[in-house]
Amino acid sequence: MIALVICLMSLGQEAPQSTLHPGFDGKEYRELLDYAFHGRLTSDRSAGAGQPYTLQYQSPEVGMRNRWDLWVRDDKQIAVISIRGTVNDRLSWLENFYAAMVPATGSVQLSDSVKFDYRLSADDKAMVHAGWLIGLAYLAPTMVEQLRRVYAGGIHSILIFGHSQGGALAFLTRSYFYYLQQEGQLPQDIVFKTYCSAAPKPGNTFYAYDFDFITRGGWAFTVVNAADWVPETPFTVQTLTDLNPVNPFTHVDKALQKQAFFVRLYIRGKYNKLGRHTRKAQKAMQEILGDKVFKAIKRSLPGLREPFYAGGSNYQRAGVPIVLEPDPAYYQLFPNDPDKIFLHHSFDAYSWLATKYYK
């Protein structure tokens, strides 16, 4: 009898059934690249590609020139949320440069009458990029609306995809959906799989930990061309306040108690000097990439209120890394050229490498 009860309980705890499968799928990734950049499937035609998708919804351009598309596979089993990256527009670029960190849980006032409440992590120490959070704030209402619509139509499997800025937004979108599910605002049996392509770093260590935890088991990937500089951004400064509270470097005086007086004096002096330099660097980054950039953004979005800054700049990568390593044949086609700084960041470069390694 006890064994039967345990068996029934375990069945009730199984993950929702899905037509998606965990683990990186090179073919799946290349198809998402195709739809994001061409609006159709162009790769692997002769090899027999997967089921085609049809564009069902395209959001209006909102906020800092953000937009997303909804693609539905023709067998009505899977939908794709594809988030557009940076476009050739001043405001779109300001979104990237607005790199002050804000808490991963809170609210953003978009206008006198519109407030975006969000939760992107269970950890109070988690922080995220201010510009991309605001990008999500403008996109989220239509995303949730369309997600509920396709769910009502029987689609419970969702791919989230973005390249470059779109990849950064894909991180935050996945976190946002997860915590809506936890709060009962989205159905629990929706299964999400996320590909963040050529994406910059979305938040601090504690956000990255949370993201990797909620997507554990092979449900979220960050795809990086090792020659691409964009995933190296934003700049990172780690200070003592970015460490876990039990880290001995946050309690240096206690760690030095057994040392001789002059040894304590010397080490404490060097330690304090190092701390002052990193705090100064972090403060400068917040002033330049926070306050000053916000003033430029507000000229285009006058209703937006400046959010509270969390006082961090310790940017880290998130997601299971899928590294596309260039080889000599790659550099014949995509040479290092200081006049073509986005060549390694391009769709063609990522598609070429993905095809080489995941044909």
Side-chain angles (χ1 to χ4, degrees), residues 318-345:
V320 176
I322 304 297
V323 178
L324 305 176
E325 187 67 46
D327 63 1
Y330 169 88
Y331 283 114
Q332 287 292 320
L333 296 170
F334 306 95
N336 285 320
D337 185 341
D339 294 325
K340 298 179 180 178
I341 62 172
F342 289 107
L343 185 61
H344 300 307
H345 188 63

Side-chain angles (χ1 to χ4, degrees), residues 146-194:
Q146 292 299 315
L147 194 54
R148 288 171 175 159
R149 182 183 67 80
V150 297
Y151 178 85
I155 299 176
H156 299 179
S157 299
I158 309 295
L159 285 163
I160 302 173
F161 177 82
H163 187 85
S164 190
Q165 182 189 85
L169 287 163
F171 282 117
L172 304 191
T173 298
R174 177 64 189 96
S175 297
Y176 181 64
F177 288 165
Y178 176 84
Y179 286 102
L180 287 184
Q181 286 182 302
Q182 299 307 298
E183 295 164 2
Q185 297 185 50
L186 282 177
Q188 291 281 341
D189 59 341
I190 299 177
V191 175
F192 295 100
K193 188 175 183 180
T194 307

